[in-house]
Amino acid sequence: MKRKNYRKLFAMLLALTMIFGLLYHVEPASAATKPAKPTISVKAAEDGASVTVTIKKTKNAAGFLIEAKMPGSKTYEPVKTVELSGRKKRTVAVDTLISGKYSFRVKAYAADSTDKIWGAYSKVKKITVKNSFDPASLGISRGDIVTFGACDQGENTGKEPIDWIVLSNKNGKLFLVSVFVLEKGVIDDTGYEFLYDDDEDDDWDDEDDWDDEDDESIETDENEESFDGTWKNSKLRKHLNEEFLNAAFSKEEIAFIADTELEDAACTDKIFLLSKEEVKNKDLGFERQEDRICAPASYGLGVWTYDGDGDYGTVFLANVDYISSCYWWLRTPSANKEYGQPFCLMTRGGGISFNTCWGDEYDTGTGYEDEPSEYIEDGGFGVRPALVLNLKDGIQEVLTKTGKTMKEEWANAGAAPDWYEDDEDEDDDTD
């Protein structure tokens, strides 16, 4: 009996030992994925326009976050994320800095199936930057209107200078959004042909324009099924950063366009759309709902507008004649994708639409539940590009402050076509 008891006790001890052994090995495995503390060095360029951050090889690091304390600031701000992705390059240039004292720090993250595992910050490295170009010399402030680049804006007159409103001028960078909607389009991958490939003959009175079978801009659902509903993998993002970028800007101009990291979209773009958070940010000039109203650059773009009386074409807003306000896309995903609205929209009145919109299978209240969504499928919503410019020497040759005000810009926004005024005259005659 005693021997059997010893055997049972031994078996229990052996089992407990194995369990504790497994637990012992699990804990270090989890801790081992945590990256080591980085070691960094910093060096300023001769012209002071950038600082090079060099990160030594860091154990278990899949990428790094570089943060900087700007001159006069008491807090660190993220300036760049570096994803190794198998690359050994760990030297990163932080572009376009104003003169002053900077503090840099870096922390690494390890790859994980669900989330990033962050390590400790590196030691802080301080450096004084003396930029040979003073951004203040441009005399540009938030709310100013500047011209940069040129594109076809639907008037069939060739390329015209693009007007941008300054959302911020901070740390040697200009954050800009186009004054007008410059194209119509869709975000999801439906194969819509954008302005530069569009048919210039856009007769809205032609009933064939409403026939899906004759509309080459509408493809089958084959591409839609593969689209994951993110800005990162959208066709519009690809279009803006390829066709639009190269059509609207010269190589010299592109050199000033910053690579902007969009944390909410997990990607880095030169040209992008604003997010829902940005259009609600008072520090960017969106203090009132009216500040978010936008109009197409011209009626010729074919962007959907509304006059409030059931006729599509022109809407009249207070104190300004002939303004066609329109819907325009944001890069923020919508909460109601099943209703045909994959991303948030700005409404004609400057509201944010993320729950309701006309969709392929959504009852609009008209009684025509099976009616296809011409708004989305035909790409009738507006595309209002945004970008960030690096303010460095030479920018004054491609960037011009106009001195215009938004009221002056909007005076000719989306001017009503001749046929609209003619119709009004005819109505007066009949009365």
Side-chain angles (χ1 to χ4, degrees), residues 246-429:
N246 293 309
F249 307 105
S250 65
K251 290 183 179 179
E252 292 75 17
E253 290 167 336
I254 292 175
F256 291 98
I257 302 177
D259 292 322
T260 301
E261 186 173 351
L262 309 175
E263 293 185 10
D264 60 307
C267 60
T268 300
D269 293 346
K270 286 189 178 297
I271 312 293
F272 51 93
L273 301 184
L274 296 181
S275 69
K276 182 176 69 174
E277 289 70 26
E278 286 166 340
V279 297
K280 294 168 66 177
N281 189 341
K282 293 183 179 181
D283 291 338
L284 296 179
F286 298 109
E287 299 179 0
R288 306 166 301 164
Q289 184 164 313
E290 293 80 34
D291 297 327
R292 299 194 287 261
I293 295 175
C294 191
S298 72
Y299 179 83
L301 290 178
V303 177
W304 281 100
T305 56
Y306 186 59
D307 68 0
D309 294 323
D311 294 327
Y312 288 90
T314 301
V315 60
F316 300 95
L317 298 181
N319 303 321
V320 187
D321 293 333
Y322 297 120
I323 290 187
S324 304
S325 63
C326 63
Y327 283 94
W328 49 284
W329 290 110
L330 302 178
R331 69 173 186 267
T332 305
S334 168
N336 263 5
K337 296 181 181 180
E338 67 271 21
Y339 288 154
Q341 184 185 341
F343 288 81
C344 292
L345 282 162
M346 294 306 308
T347 68
R348 294 183 298 267
I352 302 174
S353 171
F354 57 91
N355 278 326
T356 58
C357 184
W358 299 276
D360 296 342
E361 299 177 355
Y362 183 55
D363 181 3
T364 62
T366 61
Y368 299 101
E369 288 87 349
D370 297 330
E371 182 180 9
S373 172
E374 65 268 16
Y375 301 90
I376 294 178
E377 288 185 349
D378 189 45
F381 291 138
V383 177
R384 191 183 189 188
L387 55 82
V388 174
L389 291 181
N390 288 323
L391 298 182
K392 54 187 177 181
D393 196 20
I395 188 78
Q396 59 270 40
E397 297 178 9
V398 295
L399 179 74
T400 303
K401 181 179 175 180
T402 67
K404 297 179 183 178
T405 65
M406 283 297 294
K407 185 175 181 180
E408 291 171 330
E409 288 277 15
W410 278 59
N412 297 315
D418 293 337
W419 63 260
Y420 189 92
E421 296 182 81
D422 291 340
D423 286 351
E424 284 187 327
D425 294 338
E426 291 177 7
D427 291 341
D428 292 339
D429 293 338

Side-chain angles (χ1 to χ4, degrees), residues 235-253:
K235 185 175 182 182
L236 180 53
R237 177 187 176 232
K238 178 179 174 65
H239 164 72
L240 288 176
N241 286 276
E242 293 180 7
E243 291 95 346
F244 178 82
L245 177 71
N246 293 309
F249 307 105
S250 65
K251 290 183 179 179
E252 292 75 17
E253 290 167 336

